[in-house]
């Protein structure tokens, strides 16, 4: 009992333990990229403890998210997920977790624009030409995404709905394998975060057509891309945010430590530079506080639910 008492009081995080960040998408993709950079930036503020990534991918992030909801609430298993936290409740009839009640909210990490990209062999060289090509190839277009509720799924859903063109959707465990198939020509189009697409666009491995934000981006390799809104899809706007979570019931002092380490990481110049290079904007507002993070996610659930339902016929 005495030994147990000592262990129970041991300060978090213990040097001989590992903090695992569950990424609910495939390795090498945009969520994975953010998580790996964040793990590195949080290591120091967490006293040098090792922080590792566990890719529990599949079903639009619902598998990895469920894994964390069920994990021991001791601060050693965390979840990094994006806007899927707000879209899954509208897209799944039944989820094995409740976004509002099964998690401790640790803070928003960043906001990331998306890009509409195409296979390198697509004849269209700009958005105007893509529009024409889509019109000529109705019924034959394959659009990749990372599963129901993923950011790429949401963007594709809104895109098909805005065009009133139904595409054949192909689900992957993340956009890393989707982009591999896009480069190989197995699928035609993909909408994905700049954290994944910027290097492929720079290397001219894919064709880039537009950004999903309301304004053009300043990242040098993306600055000439038009917005979808200015290209005729009025009001089209999707920005992806990532947040960090722990299982519900994680002790308050552990939550406070993790939130403190996250806030320190978000001020780390190396982390900021890496993220900016990928078109992401590191969070520097109230949403880095757990209560504001939770409020924001709730507002996003309320915002996207009706939009997803309205676009429902394209929801797979
Ligand atoms: N974030 C990507 C998406 O939503 C998935 C991934 O990270 O692989 O499509």
């Amino acid at each position: 009992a005495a030994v147990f008492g000592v262990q129970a009081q041991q300060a978090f995080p213990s040097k001989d333990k590992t903090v695992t960040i569950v990424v609910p998408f495939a390795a090498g993709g945009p969520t994975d990229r953010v998580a790996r950079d964040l793990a590195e930036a949080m290591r120091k503020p967490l006293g040098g403890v090792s922080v590792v990534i566990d890719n529990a991918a599949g079903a639009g992030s619902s598998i990895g998210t469920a894994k964390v909801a069920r994990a021991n609430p001791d601060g050693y298993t965390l979840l990094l997920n994006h806007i899927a936290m707000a879209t899954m409740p509208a897209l799944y009839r039944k989820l094995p977790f409740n976004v509002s009640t099964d998690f401790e909210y640790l803070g928003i990490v960043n906001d990331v624009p998306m890009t509409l990209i195409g296979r390198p062999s697509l004849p269209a060289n700009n958005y105007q030409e893509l529009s024409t090509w889509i019109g000529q190839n109705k019924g034959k277009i394959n659009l990749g995404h990372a599963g129901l509720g993923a950011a790429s799924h949401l963007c594709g859903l809104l895109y098909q709905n805005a065009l009133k063109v139904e595409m054949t959707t192909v689900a992957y465990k993340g956009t890393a394998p989707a982009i591999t198939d896009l480069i190989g020509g197995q699928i035609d189009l993909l909408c994905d975060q700049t954290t994944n697409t910027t290097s492929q666009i720079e290397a001219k491995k894919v064709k880039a057509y537009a950004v999903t934000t309301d304004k053009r981006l300043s990242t040098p390799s993306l600055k000439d891309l038009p917005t979808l809104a200015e290209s005729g899809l009025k009001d089209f706007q999707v920005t992806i945010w990532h947040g960090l979570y722990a299982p519900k019931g994680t002790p308050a002092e552990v939550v406070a430590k993790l939130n403190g380490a996250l806030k320190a990481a978000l001020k780390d110049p190396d982390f900021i530079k890496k993220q900016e290079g990928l078109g992401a904007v590191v969070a520097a507002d109230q949403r880095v506080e757990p209560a504001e993070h939770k409020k924001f996610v709730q507002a996003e659930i309320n915002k996207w639910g009706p939009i997803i339902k309205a676009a429902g016929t394209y929801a797979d």
Side-chain angles (χ1 to χ4, degrees), residues 25 29-31 82 146 150-152 174-176 192-193:
F25 292 106
T31 313
H82 60 25
S152 46
T175 40
D192 198 18
Q193 284 99 296

Side-chain angles (χ1 to χ4, degrees), residues 23-33 60 81-84 114 144-147 149-154 172-177 190-193 195-196 240 242:
V23 169
F25 292 106
T31 313
D32 186 66
R33 175 76 272 138
N81 202 357
H82 60 25
I83 196 167
M114 299 189 90
H145 66 69
S152 46
H153 172 260
L154 174 69
Y172 294 84
K173 285 191 172 180
T175 40
L190 177 68
C191 184
D192 198 18
Q193 284 99 296
T195 30
N196 199 32
I240 302 313
H242 293 85

Side-chain angles (χ1 to χ4, degrees), residues 19-56:
V19 173
T20 300
I21 300 180
V22 172
V23 169
F25 292 106
T31 313
D32 186 66
R33 175 76 272 138
V34 173
R36 282 175 203 270
D37 289 349
L38 183 67
E40 204 179 306
M42 283 181 73
R43 196 163 292 145
K44 211 159 116 203
L46 282 175
V49 70
S50 85
V51 185
V52 302
I53 303 299
D54 169 18
N55 296 93

